[in-house]
Amino acid sequence: MANIVTKPRTKVRLKTERPRLHKVILVNDDFTPREFVVMVLKAEFHMHEDHAYQVMITAHRRGVCVVGVFAKDVAETKATRGTDAGRSKGYPLLFTTEPEE
Ligand code: TYC
């Protein structure tokens, strides 16, 4: 009978890796009013007027803008709350998340 030798599959982690941070991304659309986007950024991301305007106008011009970087659950909660704020007014405003490299 053939003796099949397999390597152990368990990897030993020598270092503890920090959980990856996640970006919250604002996505442009043609319908949500600019002032509403700025208001949501101020309310959900604690931004001042000037910074919120810059983020909004960057998404408007380039299609997307990184709003901030947070722990995964915080990023997801903020993205959901921002998207829901738009939905509650009938706007297609969208925040997404993605892991940082
Ligand atoms: N493009 C929208 C308008 O012209 C404004 C807007 C900016 C909407 C950024 C969404 O993520 C956004 N009314």
Side-chain angles (χ1 to χ4, degrees):
M1 193 178 63
N3 248 340
I4 301 168
V5 180
T6 54
K7 277 192 185 170
R9 286 170 189 269
T10 314
K11 256 194 180 173
V12 178
R13 279 214 193 288
L14 297 177
K15 279 188 182 169
T16 310
E17 287 173 17
R18 289 177 191 278
R20 278 211 281 182
L21 294 173
H22 287 242
K23 296 183 275 194
V24 173
I25 296 158
L26 171 64
V27 182
N28 185 42
D29 67 72
D30 291 339
F31 303 100
T32 310
R34 293 179 180 199
E35 316 78 65
F36 186 81
V37 180
V38 170
M39 192 197 77
V40 171
L41 289 170
K42 287 164 72 176
E44 298 297 338
F45 297 91
H46 310 290
M47 285 183 188
H48 293 136
E49 181 78 25
D50 296 7
H51 186 206
Y53 185 84
Q54 285 309 317
V55 169
M56 179 282 296
I57 208 68
T58 300
H60 175 76
R61 289 179 180 148
R62 303 173 72 106
V64 289
C65 183
V66 175
V67 178
V69 174
F70 307 92
K72 184 171 192 281
D73 57 337
V74 175
E76 283 169 356
T77 301
K78 285 182 182 290
T80 301
R81 286 177 56 98
T83 300
D84 286 351
R87 184 174 301 174
S88 74
K89 297 278 185 238
Y91 299 135
L93 181 63
L94 179 63
F95 292 86
T96 61
T97 66
E98 65 175 59
E100 273 220 313
E101 290 77 44

